[in-house]
């Protein structure tokens, strides 16, 4: 029995380390029951035992490789069938950085499965229930790399740009339903992901651009409480983001017309 049964159950993917483990800690402290998903079941069980003991909430562990269709289907079934679920945190992800011409295409295909297909499927599984119950939330962990058009970042940044676009459209489709959508764009955050990315070791990054994981998640949850859709934890002035949206919207009247632009010189 949870401390505050009304908060319901949060399912967090990638809860065995890093950002997902801190979300688990903070959401348990708030009184959510939890379902923790990842491949490293021992780490999940250890965290589950600690959080249940410390917070008096129910914590279940669900081992799944979210690049595996059958495993993903198990998680989808839970999200579809468990009417206590009020929050999905799509956090599991990998970051493969490096020049595309030399990249391991199988690893990139798995990254697309994990970073794009899995959150898409899990969101599709949970959303009808949340809408029917008229409450709940979906939090997608994207990245500021979605905004960084630079060498080495073809696929990872692309997967996170997908999640940003997906979340922005989903928020429009769910407006007024009681279902909240948030997409979080962390900058460099001190987790294990850097050691596996093929990019620079986190110790070699300028310290002023690296955020501690606790701070990153606490800021994102504060933004969640404020109902913010797009959260960039380190961005000092939210108006800077709004200027980007305004510039994008200013393109809209000319994105699709019946004549090509004069500079191409092909209009009779
Ligand atoms: P992390 O410590 O490496 O955590 C990644 C999590 O994803 C782990 O729990 C891992 O668990 C899980 N995962 C990886 N492959 C999986 C698979 N095939 N199936 C299921 N779960 C899988 O790194 P993190 O930084 O916390 O990453 C969390 C999210 O934050 C990612 O989406 C990442 O892109 C995003 N992000 C991170 C940063 C940063 O600088 N750290 C910045 C921006 C965005 P198992 O290995 O146990 O499966």
């Amino acid at each position: 029995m949870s401390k505050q049964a009304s908060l319901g159950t949060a399912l967090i993917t990638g809860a065995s380390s890093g950002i997902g483990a801190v979300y688990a800690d903070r959401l348990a402290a708030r009184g959510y029951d939890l379902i923790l998903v990842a491949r490293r079941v021992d780490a999940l069980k250890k965290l589950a035992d600690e959080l249940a003991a410390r917070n008096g909430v129910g914590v279940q562990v669900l081992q799944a490789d979210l690049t595996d269709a059958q495993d993903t289907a198990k998680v989808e079934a839970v999200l579809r069938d468990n009417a206590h679920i009020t929050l999905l945190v799509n956090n599991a992800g990998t970051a493969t950085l490096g020049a595309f011409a030399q990249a391991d295409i199988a690893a990139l295909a798995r990254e697309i499965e994990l970073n794009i297909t899995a959150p898409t499927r899990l969101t599709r599984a949970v959303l009808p229930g949340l809408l029917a119950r008229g409450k709940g939330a979906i939090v997608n962990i994207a990245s500021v790399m979605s905004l960084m058009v630079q060498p080495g970042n073809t696929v990872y940044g692309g997967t996170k740009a997908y999640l940003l676009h997906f979340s922005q459209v989903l928020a429009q489709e769910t407006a007024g339903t009681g279902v909240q959508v948030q997409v979080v764009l962390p900058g460099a955050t001190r987790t294990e992901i850097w050691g596996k990315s093929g990019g620079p070791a986190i110790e070699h990054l300028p310290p002023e651009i690296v955020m501690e994981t606790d701070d990153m998640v606490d800021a994102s949850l504060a933004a969640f409480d404020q109902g913010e859709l797009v959260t960039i934890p380190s961005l000092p002035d939210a108006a800077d983001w709004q200027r980007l949206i305004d510039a994008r919207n200013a393109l809209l009247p000319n994105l699709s017309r019946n004549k090509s632009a004069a500079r191409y010189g092909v209009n009779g």
Side-chain angles (χ1 to χ4, degrees), residues 233-244:
S234 64
L235 187 71
D237 187 356
D240 285 344
W241 175 258
Q242 191 53 46
R243 270 190 282 282
L244 180 68

Side-chain angles (χ1 to χ4, degrees), residues 108-122:
L108 294 182
R110 282 195 300 278
E111 188 149 296
I112 291 167
E113 282 290 320
L114 179 65
N115 293 10
I116 294 182
T117 308
T120 306
R121 296 195 70 99
L122 300 188

Side-chain angles (χ1 to χ4, degrees), residues 17-268:
S17 62
I19 292 166
V22 177
Y23 262 100
D25 176 75
R26 300 305 196 264
L27 293 175
R30 287 182 175 211
Y32 282 90
D33 294 320
L34 299 178
I35 302 174
L36 307 179
V37 179
R39 294 168 303 178
R40 286 172 290 175
V41 72
D42 290 346
L44 291 181
K45 283 183 178 155
K46 185 167 178 286
L47 183 63
D49 289 346
E50 283 169 18
L51 295 181
R54 195 181 322 140
N55 301 287
V57 295
V59 188
Q60 295 172 46
V61 162
L62 180 54
Q63 184 178 28
D65 179 343
L66 294 172
T67 65
D68 177 281
Q70 284 186 342
D71 277 12
T72 304
K74 278 192 316 193
V75 186
E76 289 176 68
V78 171
L79 289 165
R80 240 189 339 261
D81 299 340
N82 183 337
H84 297 290
I85 291 182
T86 50
L87 176 60
L88 166 64
V89 183
N90 279 312
N91 164 75
T94 52
T96 303
L97 305 177
F100 185 71
Q102 288 85 42
D104 174 351
I105 191 64
L108 294 182
R110 282 195 300 278
E111 188 149 296
I112 291 167
E113 282 290 320
L114 179 65
N115 293 10
I116 294 182
T117 308
T120 306
R121 296 195 70 99
L122 300 188
T123 301
R124 179 63 183 82
V126 81
L127 187 58
L130 298 183
L131 290 172
R133 297 188 288 278
K135 65 170 187 186
I138 296 164
V139 175
N140 293 321
I141 307 300
S143 168
V144 292
M145 298 281 273
S146 62
L147 304 173
M148 293 179 172
V149 178
Q150 61 191 34
N153 187 33
T154 46
V155 170
Y156 178 64
T159 66
K160 296 303 185 175
Y162 170 89
L163 218 43
L164 173 59
H165 178 96
F166 176 76
S167 306
Q168 289 174 295
V169 177
L170 199 63
Q172 292 185 7
E173 293 186 8
T174 56
T177 63
V179 176
Q180 182 183 351
V181 177
Q182 183 191 23
V183 57
V184 180
L185 280 61
T189 309
R190 197 181 306 283
T191 72
E192 294 175 8
I193 206 168
W194 288 87
K196 309 175 213 161
S197 71
I202 194 143
E203 298 76 25
H204 295 157
L205 294 179
E208 63 274 16
I209 71 160
V210 179
M211 195 177 288
E212 298 304 325
T213 314
D214 286 348
D215 295 343
M216 189 246 113
V217 174
D218 287 337
S220 298
L221 282 169
F224 178 81
D225 293 340
Q226 292 169 13
E228 191 171 70
L229 166 57
V230 180
T231 297
I232 302 177
S234 64
L235 187 71
D237 187 356
D240 285 344
W241 175 258
Q242 191 53 46
R243 270 190 282 282
L244 180 68
I245 301 297
D246 292 345
R248 187 184 67 188
N249 287 340
L251 289 172
L252 281 175
N254 291 314
L255 290 180
S256 182
R257 303 190 63 152
N258 62 355
K259 287 194 168 45
S260 59
R263 68 181 174 284
Y264 301 122
V266 294
N267 287 325

